[in-house]
Amino acid sequence: MSRHDAGKPEQAAREAWLGEQARKPRRRRVVLADSTKARGKALRTIIELEEQTSVGEKLVRDLIKQQLRSAFGLAFIVLIGMCLLPITFYLFPQIGNLKILGIGIPWLVLGLAPFPLLYGVGWVFRRQAERHERDFVNMVDR
């Protein structure tokens, strides 16, 4: 036995260990089966979506309409909010004369207020889009 083999197990013990490992059955993944009735309808809907049949196209079109409705609704809110700021300063000029740290309130509001507003609207839109997609997937899987 050479000095390189001093810390290694003997060859016979190693072979016995490898043989034992080879005889052990491999782990198997067991998945509970879905009911065939529910899975059949979902499978049919998925096939209609993949093959782009008229039903599948209508389902996708409805999802897109929901997304557009959300986008236009939130865009309208942003448009109204952004247009009301200059109109407010025009109608009430005394607000425009106020200053904080030497900077006029209109500049501060028009320069800083849109960013948190736009971030909030983007966050709301993302949540709505995810909800619409989740509802679509749940409807397809039913």
mmCIF file of all heavy atoms in Angstrom, residues 76-108:
data_model
loop_
_atom_site.group_PDB
_atom_site.id
_atom_site.type_symbol
_atom_site.label_atom_id
_atom_site.label_comp_id
_atom_site.label_asym_id
_atom_site.label_seq_id
_atom_site.Cartn_x
_atom_site.Cartn_y
_atom_site.Cartn_z
ATOM 1 N N PHE A 76 -56.604 57.595 -18.050
ATOM 2 C CA PHE A 76 -57.549 58.697 -17.906
ATOM 3 C C PHE A 76 -57.381 59.370 -16.546
ATOM 4 O O PHE A 76 -57.401 60.604 -16.445
ATOM 5 C CB PHE A 76 -58.979 58.172 -18.087
ATOM 6 C CG PHE A 76 -60.028 59.231 -17.989
ATOM 7 C CD1 PHE A 76 -60.197 60.163 -19.008
ATOM 8 C CD2 PHE A 76 -60.842 59.319 -16.877
ATOM 9 C CE1 PHE A 76 -61.158 61.145 -18.920
ATOM 10 C CE2 PHE A 76 -61.811 60.295 -16.778
ATOM 11 C CZ PHE A 76 -61.967 61.213 -17.799
ATOM 12 N N ILE A 77 -57.200 58.566 -15.498
ATOM 13 C CA ILE A 77 -56.995 59.121 -14.157
ATOM 14 C C ILE A 77 -55.719 59.965 -14.115
ATOM 15 O O ILE A 77 -55.710 61.068 -13.560
ATOM 16 C CB ILE A 77 -56.944 57.984 -13.108
ATOM 17 C CG1 ILE A 77 -58.330 57.364 -12.953
ATOM 18 C CG2 ILE A 77 -56.425 58.482 -11.775
ATOM 19 C CD1 ILE A 77 -58.351 56.107 -12.127
ATOM 20 N N VAL A 78 -54.654 59.466 -14.729
ATOM 21 C CA VAL A 78 -53.396 60.221 -14.764
ATOM 22 C C VAL A 78 -53.569 61.506 -15.562
ATOM 23 O O VAL A 78 -53.109 62.578 -15.146
ATOM 24 C CB VAL A 78 -52.258 59.357 -15.361
ATOM 25 C CG1 VAL A 78 -51.041 60.198 -15.678
ATOM 26 C CG2 VAL A 78 -51.898 58.236 -14.413
ATOM 27 N N LEU A 79 -54.238 61.422 -16.696
ATOM 28 C CA LEU A 79 -54.447 62.606 -17.537
ATOM 29 C C LEU A 79 -55.236 63.672 -16.794
ATOM 30 O O LEU A 79 -54.846 64.854 -16.799
ATOM 31 C CB LEU A 79 -55.165 62.202 -18.832
ATOM 32 C CG LEU A 79 -55.378 63.306 -19.856
ATOM 33 C CD1 LEU A 79 -54.026 63.738 -20.408
ATOM 34 C CD2 LEU A 79 -56.272 62.810 -20.964
ATOM 35 N N ILE A 80 -56.305 63.262 -16.140
ATOM 36 C CA ILE A 80 -57.116 64.226 -15.393
ATOM 37 C C ILE A 80 -56.288 64.834 -14.253
ATOM 38 O O ILE A 80 -56.285 66.050 -14.049
ATOM 39 C CB ILE A 80 -58.394 63.551 -14.835
ATOM 40 C CG1 ILE A 80 -59.311 63.115 -15.974
ATOM 41 C CG2 ILE A 80 -59.134 64.461 -13.864
ATOM 42 C CD1 ILE A 80 -59.803 64.238 -16.849
ATOM 43 N N GLY A 81 -55.566 63.986 -13.529
ATOM 44 C CA GLY A 81 -54.750 64.487 -12.418
ATOM 45 C C GLY A 81 -53.676 65.460 -12.872
ATOM 46 O O GLY A 81 -53.441 66.491 -12.228
ATOM 47 N N MET A 82 -53.023 65.153 -13.968
ATOM 48 C CA MET A 82 -51.946 66.023 -14.457
ATOM 49 C C MET A 82 -52.498 67.317 -15.054
ATOM 50 O O MET A 82 -51.843 68.358 -14.982
ATOM 51 C CB MET A 82 -51.105 65.292 -15.503
ATOM 52 C CG MET A 82 -50.415 64.059 -14.955
ATOM 53 S SD MET A 82 -49.334 64.423 -13.598
ATOM 54 C CE MET A 82 -47.842 64.682 -14.488
ATOM 55 N N CYS A 83 -53.663 67.265 -15.664
ATOM 56 C CA CYS A 83 -54.248 68.475 -16.241
ATOM 57 C C CYS A 83 -54.848 69.385 -15.175
ATOM 58 O O CYS A 83 -54.909 70.601 -15.371
ATOM 59 C CB CYS A 83 -55.318 68.113 -17.262
ATOM 60 S SG CYS A 83 -54.648 67.393 -18.761
ATOM 61 N N LEU A 84 -55.270 68.812 -14.069
ATOM 62 C CA LEU A 84 -55.860 69.639 -13.014
ATOM 63 C C LEU A 84 -54.823 70.498 -12.288
ATOM 64 O O LEU A 84 -55.164 71.566 -11.773
ATOM 65 C CB LEU A 84 -56.593 68.759 -11.997
ATOM 66 C CG LEU A 84 -57.945 68.213 -12.452
ATOM 67 C CD1 LEU A 84 -58.547 67.342 -11.367
ATOM 68 C CD2 LEU A 84 -58.898 69.337 -12.807
ATOM 69 N N LEU A 85 -53.578 70.044 -12.257
ATOM 70 C CA LEU A 85 -52.551 70.828 -11.554
ATOM 71 C C LEU A 85 -52.335 72.213 -12.176
ATOM 72 O O LEU A 85 -52.455 73.230 -11.479
ATOM 73 C CB LEU A 85 -51.242 70.053 -11.492
ATOM 74 C CG LEU A 85 -51.227 68.850 -10.550
ATOM 75 C CD1 LEU A 85 -49.930 68.068 -10.704
ATOM 76 C CD2 LEU A 85 -51.415 69.299 -9.120
ATOM 77 N N PRO A 86 -52.043 72.320 -13.475
ATOM 78 C CA PRO A 86 -51.858 73.672 -14.045
ATOM 79 C C PRO A 86 -53.138 74.499 -14.023
ATOM 80 O O PRO A 86 -53.087 75.720 -13.817
ATOM 81 C CB PRO A 86 -51.417 73.424 -15.487
ATOM 82 C CG PRO A 86 -51.111 71.995 -15.589
ATOM 83 C CD PRO A 86 -51.722 71.302 -14.438
ATOM 84 N N ILE A 87 -54.272 73.827 -14.195
ATOM 85 C CA ILE A 87 -55.548 74.558 -14.160
ATOM 86 C C ILE A 87 -55.765 75.146 -12.769
ATOM 87 O O ILE A 87 -56.226 76.280 -12.629
ATOM 88 C CB ILE A 87 -56.706 73.627 -14.581
ATOM 89 C CG1 ILE A 87 -56.574 73.285 -16.063
ATOM 90 C CG2 ILE A 87 -58.053 74.257 -14.297
ATOM 91 C CD1 ILE A 87 -57.526 72.213 -16.541
ATOM 92 N N THR A 88 -55.424 74.378 -11.743
ATOM 93 C CA THR A 88 -55.558 74.866 -10.362
ATOM 94 C C THR A 88 -54.681 76.093 -10.138
ATOM 95 O O THR A 88 -55.118 77.081 -9.534
ATOM 96 C CB THR A 88 -55.174 73.757 -9.364
ATOM 97 O OG1 THR A 88 -55.990 72.624 -9.591
ATOM 98 C CG2 THR A 88 -55.334 74.223 -7.934
ATOM 99 N N PHE A 89 -53.451 76.056 -10.620
ATOM 100 C CA PHE A 89 -52.552 77.198 -10.440
ATOM 101 C C PHE A 89 -53.024 78.411 -11.250
ATOM 102 O O PHE A 89 -52.791 79.549 -10.855
ATOM 103 C CB PHE A 89 -51.123 76.828 -10.822
ATOM 104 C CG PHE A 89 -50.522 75.806 -9.903
ATOM 105 C CD1 PHE A 89 -49.879 74.694 -10.411
ATOM 106 C CD2 PHE A 89 -50.607 75.935 -8.531
ATOM 107 C CE1 PHE A 89 -49.324 73.763 -9.574
ATOM 108 C CE2 PHE A 89 -50.058 75.000 -7.677
ATOM 109 C CZ PHE A 89 -49.421 73.902 -8.199
ATOM 110 N N TYR A 90 -53.684 78.165 -12.377
ATOM 111 C CA TYR A 90 -54.199 79.271 -13.190
ATOM 112 C C TYR A 90 -55.415 79.899 -12.518
ATOM 113 O O TYR A 90 -55.543 81.115 -12.481
ATOM 114 C CB TYR A 90 -54.574 78.763 -14.584
ATOM 115 C CG TYR A 90 -55.141 79.822 -15.475
ATOM 116 C CD1 TYR A 90 -54.326 80.790 -16.050
ATOM 117 C CD2 TYR A 90 -56.508 79.873 -15.741
ATOM 118 C CE1 TYR A 90 -54.850 81.785 -16.861
ATOM 119 C CE2 TYR A 90 -57.044 80.852 -16.539
ATOM 120 C CZ TYR A 90 -56.213 81.804 -17.101
ATOM 121 O OH TYR A 90 -56.744 82.781 -17.897
ATOM 122 N N LEU A 91 -56.303 79.053 -11.998
ATOM 123 C CA LEU A 91 -57.526 79.572 -11.380
ATOM 124 C C LEU A 91 -57.276 80.203 -10.012
ATOM 125 O O LEU A 91 -58.027 81.087 -9.596
ATOM 126 C CB LEU A 91 -58.560 78.448 -11.243
ATOM 127 C CG LEU A 91 -59.109 77.883 -12.556
ATOM 128 C CD1 LEU A 91 -60.052 76.728 -12.289
ATOM 129 C CD2 LEU A 91 -59.816 78.976 -13.348
ATOM 130 N N PHE A 92 -56.280 79.742 -9.300
ATOM 131 C CA PHE A 92 -55.961 80.278 -7.970
ATOM 132 C C PHE A 92 -54.523 80.797 -7.979
ATOM 133 O O PHE A 92 -53.600 80.127 -7.522
ATOM 134 C CB PHE A 92 -56.129 79.184 -6.900
ATOM 135 C CG PHE A 92 -57.507 78.591 -6.863
ATOM 136 C CD1 PHE A 92 -57.747 77.334 -7.396
ATOM 137 C CD2 PHE A 92 -58.557 79.301 -6.309
ATOM 138 C CE1 PHE A 92 -59.016 76.792 -7.373
ATOM 139 C CE2 PHE A 92 -59.834 78.752 -6.283
ATOM 140 C CZ PHE A 92 -60.069 77.496 -6.817
ATOM 141 N N PRO A 93 -54.314 82.002 -8.494
ATOM 142 C CA PRO A 93 -52.950 82.535 -8.618
ATOM 143 C C PRO A 93 -52.254 82.757 -7.278
ATOM 144 O O PRO A 93 -51.021 82.767 -7.220
ATOM 145 C CB PRO A 93 -53.122 83.848 -9.373
ATOM 146 C CG PRO A 93 -54.558 84.144 -9.405
ATOM 147 C CD PRO A 93 -55.298 82.915 -9.055
ATOM 148 N N GLN A 94 -52.999 82.908 -6.196
ATOM 149 C CA GLN A 94 -52.365 83.096 -4.898
ATOM 150 C C GLN A 94 -51.569 81.859 -4.487
ATOM 151 O O GLN A 94 -50.572 81.981 -3.765
ATOM 152 C CB GLN A 94 -53.391 83.486 -3.817
ATOM 153 C CG GLN A 94 -54.456 82.470 -3.521
ATOM 154 C CD GLN A 94 -55.690 82.600 -4.412
ATOM 155 O OE1 GLN A 94 -55.639 83.186 -5.492
ATOM 156 N NE2 GLN A 94 -56.795 82.047 -3.944
ATOM 157 N N ILE A 95 -51.954 80.665 -4.938
ATOM 158 C CA ILE A 95 -51.179 79.444 -4.663
ATOM 159 C C ILE A 95 -49.843 79.525 -5.402
ATOM 160 O O ILE A 95 -48.808 79.108 -4.888
ATOM 161 C CB ILE A 95 -51.950 78.175 -5.076
ATOM 162 C CG1 ILE A 95 -53.218 78.021 -4.248
ATOM 163 C CG2 ILE A 95 -51.077 76.934 -4.915
ATOM 164 C CD1 ILE A 95 -54.097 76.887 -4.695
ATOM 165 N N GLY A 96 -49.873 80.087 -6.592
ATOM 166 C CA GLY A 96 -48.657 80.198 -7.390
ATOM 167 C C GLY A 96 -47.634 81.157 -6.799
ATOM 168 O O GLY A 96 -46.452 81.088 -7.137
ATOM 169 N N ASN A 97 -48.067 82.060 -5.927
ATOM 170 C CA ASN A 97 -47.152 83.022 -5.333
ATOM 171 C C ASN A 97 -46.423 82.471 -4.112
ATOM 172 O O ASN A 97 -45.464 83.079 -3.647
ATOM 173 C CB ASN A 97 -47.913 84.300 -4.941
ATOM 174 C CG ASN A 97 -48.467 85.009 -6.174
ATOM 175 O OD1 ASN A 97 -47.904 84.887 -7.261
ATOM 176 N ND2 ASN A 97 -49.558 85.720 -6.003
ATOM 177 N N LEU A 98 -46.867 81.335 -3.556
ATOM 178 C CA LEU A 98 -46.222 80.754 -2.387
ATOM 179 C C LEU A 98 -44.875 80.155 -2.769
ATOM 180 O O LEU A 98 -44.694 79.633 -3.867
ATOM 181 C CB LEU A 98 -47.113 79.665 -1.779
ATOM 182 C CG LEU A 98 -48.474 80.112 -1.238
ATOM 183 C CD1 LEU A 98 -49.270 78.900 -0.791
ATOM 184 C CD2 LEU A 98 -48.283 81.072 -0.079
ATOM 185 N N LYS A 99 -43.934 80.259 -1.817
ATOM 186 C CA LYS A 99 -42.600 79.727 -2.076
ATOM 187 C C LYS A 99 -42.137 78.892 -0.889
ATOM 188 O O LYS A 99 -42.428 79.219 0.257
ATOM 189 C CB LYS A 99 -41.605 80.844 -2.334
ATOM 190 C CG LYS A 99 -41.893 81.615 -3.598
ATOM 191 C CD LYS A 99 -40.804 82.589 -3.891
ATOM 192 C CE LYS A 99 -41.192 83.429 -5.080
ATOM 193 N NZ LYS A 99 -40.502 83.128 -6.262
ATOM 194 N N ILE A 100 -41.414 77.807 -1.196
ATOM 195 C CA ILE A 100 -40.776 76.983 -0.166
ATOM 196 C C ILE A 100 -39.305 76.901 -0.538
ATOM 197 O O ILE A 100 -38.956 76.481 -1.647
ATOM 198 C CB ILE A 100 -41.392 75.568 -0.112
ATOM 199 C CG1 ILE A 100 -42.842 75.631 0.324
ATOM 200 C CG2 ILE A 100 -40.595 74.674 0.822
ATOM 201 C CD1 ILE A 100 -43.539 74.294 0.377
ATOM 202 N N LEU A 101 -38.443 77.327 0.396
ATOM 203 C CA LEU A 101 -36.991 77.358 0.168
ATOM 204 C C LEU A 101 -36.626 78.157 -1.079
ATOM 205 O O LEU A 101 -35.715 77.814 -1.825
ATOM 206 C CB LEU A 101 -36.441 75.936 0.064
ATOM 207 C CG LEU A 101 -36.648 75.029 1.290
ATOM 208 C CD1 LEU A 101 -36.207 73.614 0.957
ATOM 209 C CD2 LEU A 101 -35.884 75.568 2.481
ATOM 210 N N GLY A 102 -37.408 79.180 -1.358
ATOM 211 C CA GLY A 102 -37.125 80.038 -2.493
ATOM 212 C C GLY A 102 -37.609 79.505 -3.828
ATOM 213 O O GLY A 102 -37.387 80.124 -4.863
ATOM 214 N N ILE A 103 -38.273 78.350 -3.809
ATOM 215 C CA ILE A 103 -38.778 77.757 -5.053
ATOM 216 C C ILE A 103 -40.298 77.839 -5.022
ATOM 217 O O ILE A 103 -40.937 77.499 -4.024
ATOM 218 C CB ILE A 103 -38.325 76.290 -5.195
ATOM 219 C CG1 ILE A 103 -36.809 76.204 -5.157
ATOM 220 C CG2 ILE A 103 -38.860 75.678 -6.479
ATOM 221 C CD1 ILE A 103 -36.277 74.797 -5.083
ATOM 222 N N GLY A 104 -40.883 78.265 -6.121
ATOM 223 C CA GLY A 104 -42.336 78.402 -6.199
ATOM 224 C C GLY A 104 -43.045 77.058 -6.084
ATOM 225 O O GLY A 104 -42.555 76.027 -6.568
ATOM 226 N N ILE A 105 -44.195 77.079 -5.419
ATOM 227 C CA ILE A 105 -44.999 75.854 -5.233
ATOM 228 C C ILE A 105 -45.349 75.206 -6.582
ATOM 229 O O ILE A 105 -45.282 73.977 -6.700
ATOM 230 C CB ILE A 105 -46.279 76.179 -4.423
ATOM 231 C CG1 ILE A 105 -45.938 76.573 -2.997
ATOM 232 C CG2 ILE A 105 -47.266 75.025 -4.437
ATOM 233 C CD1 ILE A 105 -45.489 75.427 -2.132
ATOM 234 N N PRO A 106 -45.735 75.988 -7.612
ATOM 235 C CA PRO A 106 -46.060 75.328 -8.886
ATOM 236 C C PRO A 106 -44.896 74.501 -9.429
ATOM 237 O O PRO A 106 -45.097 73.405 -9.950
ATOM 238 C CB PRO A 106 -46.401 76.478 -9.825
ATOM 239 C CG PRO A 106 -46.819 77.589 -8.935
ATOM 240 C CD PRO A 106 -46.022 77.425 -7.683
ATOM 241 N N TRP A 107 -43.678 75.029 -9.324
ATOM 242 C CA TRP A 107 -42.524 74.270 -9.828
ATOM 243 C C TRP A 107 -42.310 72.994 -9.020
ATOM 244 O O TRP A 107 -41.978 71.937 -9.571
ATOM 245 C CB TRP A 107 -41.268 75.134 -9.785
ATOM 246 C CG TRP A 107 -41.238 76.131 -10.896
ATOM 247 C CD1 TRP A 107 -41.512 77.457 -10.811
ATOM 248 C CD2 TRP A 107 -40.956 75.862 -12.256
ATOM 249 N NE1 TRP A 107 -41.407 78.048 -12.041
ATOM 250 C CE2 TRP A 107 -41.063 77.072 -12.959
ATOM 251 C CE3 TRP A 107 -40.626 74.719 -12.966
ATOM 252 C CZ2 TRP A 107 -40.859 77.171 -14.314
ATOM 253 C CZ3 TRP A 107 -40.410 74.838 -14.329
ATOM 254 C CH2 TRP A 107 -40.535 76.047 -14.989
ATOM 255 N N LEU A 108 -42.456 73.089 -7.726
ATOM 256 C CA LEU A 108 -42.285 71.894 -6.887
ATOM 257 C C LEU A 108 -43.354 70.842 -7.188
ATOM 258 O O LEU A 108 -43.056 69.660 -7.334
ATOM 259 C CB LEU A 108 -42.321 72.274 -5.401
ATOM 260 C CG LEU A 108 -41.109 72.998 -4.855
ATOM 261 C CD1 LEU A 108 -41.353 73.433 -3.421
ATOM 262 C CD2 LEU A 108 -39.893 72.088 -4.931
#
